[in-house]
Amino acid sequence: MSIRAQGLRTWLWQRLSAAYLAAFLLFSLAGWILAGPWDYVRWRALLTDPVYAVATALFFAALLLHGWVGGRDIVMDYVPAGALRFTALTLLALAVIVMGAWAVVILLLAQIT
Amino acid sequence: MSNNNNQRPVFLNLFLIRLPVTGVASIAHRISGAILLLLVPLLLYGLQLSLRGPEDFARVTGWLDQTWVRLAAIPVVWALAHHFFAGIRFLLMDLDCGLNVNTARVSAWLVLAAGAVTALVAAGCLL
């Protein structure tokens, strides 16, 4: 079966993003606990560090991709095909896009201000 | 033949369906995922405030000191922990690991327990 088959590709993205989310969360949790306590200056320095900022941007990309596939699966399982499902999927897609743009703005604003 | 589809029994009484433990782990994975997805805007809002200035950073940490926020955080910790552990279980199953019915039952119990224990530890730390 071709990897370009739509369902299989989605399945693969769901797993790849899951692996990154798990790794990032474990790494970050351990770092936050070991390197605490945190104040504003240190927290900002962490989130504007180029490596961690890119890792965080990737985290949100993986999170939203993962959330899109999961939310899409839930909608397709419980909302019958038709206008209602189309509306639900459109709203979900819009929400994911807005949250992604929001994350980019947060991380970029922290860099330039 | 075409009538068979319409004559299939429909049994959807959720109170009488006894879900196997593997099914409980599965539906809990879905519910916890939905909870986490709905909370992403809150995460983004908190992150935005925490990076905006010292006063806003103090506002966010101030929320985390409030009892009701800490109470509300416990089910969120459960959702994250269960989704994490159950997700790893599914990833292993995708790699053909633990597909045997008995193994799958044991791992489902383990995953449910791990999520509950994490939530209890979080409750101990937060309250």
Side-chain angles (χ1 to χ4, degrees):
Chain A
M1 184 166 38
S2 160
I3 194 73
R4 290 170 67 84
Q6 186 64 42
L8 188 57
R9 199 167 49 186
T10 312
W11 177 91
L12 186 64
W13 275 116
Q14 187 75 331
R15 269 72 187 168
L16 289 175
S17 57
Y20 183 77
L21 292 171
F24 179 87
L25 280 180
L26 278 185
F27 180 78
S28 288
L29 265 181
W32 292 338
I33 292 169
L34 292 175
W38 292 88
D39 57 26
Y40 173 67
V41 174
R42 291 193 63 219
W43 176 245
R44 223 189 125 84
L46 174 68
L47 267 298
T48 50
D49 174 85
V51 175
Y52 196 75
V54 169
T56 307
L58 274 178
F59 163 76
F60 279 113
L63 179 68
L64 292 171
L65 182 64
H66 195 82
W68 158 249
V69 178
R72 193 198 67 141
D73 286 348
I74 292 178
V75 169
M76 292 199 303
D77 276 353
Y78 302 126
V79 184
L84 195 59
R85 182 191 285 187
F86 180 79
T87 310
L89 287 176
T90 306
L91 288 176
L92 179 66
L94 276 177
V96 165
I97 290 167
V98 167
M99 289 189 279
W102 190 5
V104 169
V105 167
I106 291 171
L107 292 172
L108 280 182
L109 266 183
Q111 288 285 335
I112 59 173
T113 54
Chain B
M1 276 298 276
S2 61
N3 266 350
N4 281 357
N5 275 340
N6 303 328
Q7 287 164 2
R8 285 188 309 183
V10 175
F11 182 75
L12 285 175
N13 188 334
L14 292 178
F15 296 100
L16 290 178
I17 293 177
R18 285 202 52 220
L19 207 56
V21 65
T22 46
V24 174
S26 179
I27 192 67
H29 187 247
R30 174 163 280 198
I31 292 168
S32 57
I35 293 172
L36 294 171
L37 183 60
L38 290 173
L39 287 173
V40 174
L42 202 61
L43 171 72
L44 284 166
Y45 182 60
L47 181 67
Q48 180 174 43
L49 279 187
S50 75
L51 291 170
R52 202 153 68 181
E55 299 84 9
D56 286 326
F57 180 87
R59 257 173 80 198
V60 176
T61 53
W63 291 335
L64 301 176
D65 284 335
Q66 294 194 23
T67 311
W68 75 267
V69 176
R70 286 168 166 249
L71 273 175
I74 294 167
V76 177
V77 170
W78 171 81
L80 185 58
H82 180 80
H83 204 78
F84 180 86
F85 293 124
I88 286 174
R89 175 173 174 269
F90 286 138
L91 282 177
L92 288 174
M93 289 176 137
D94 287 338
L95 300 172
D96 283 350
C97 181
L99 286 180
N100 174 282
V101 176
N102 291 317
T103 316
R105 279 197 193 115
V106 172
S107 63
W109 277 114
L110 284 176
V111 156
L112 286 166
V117 166
T118 310
L120 282 176
V121 170
C125 293
L126 287 168
L127 300 178

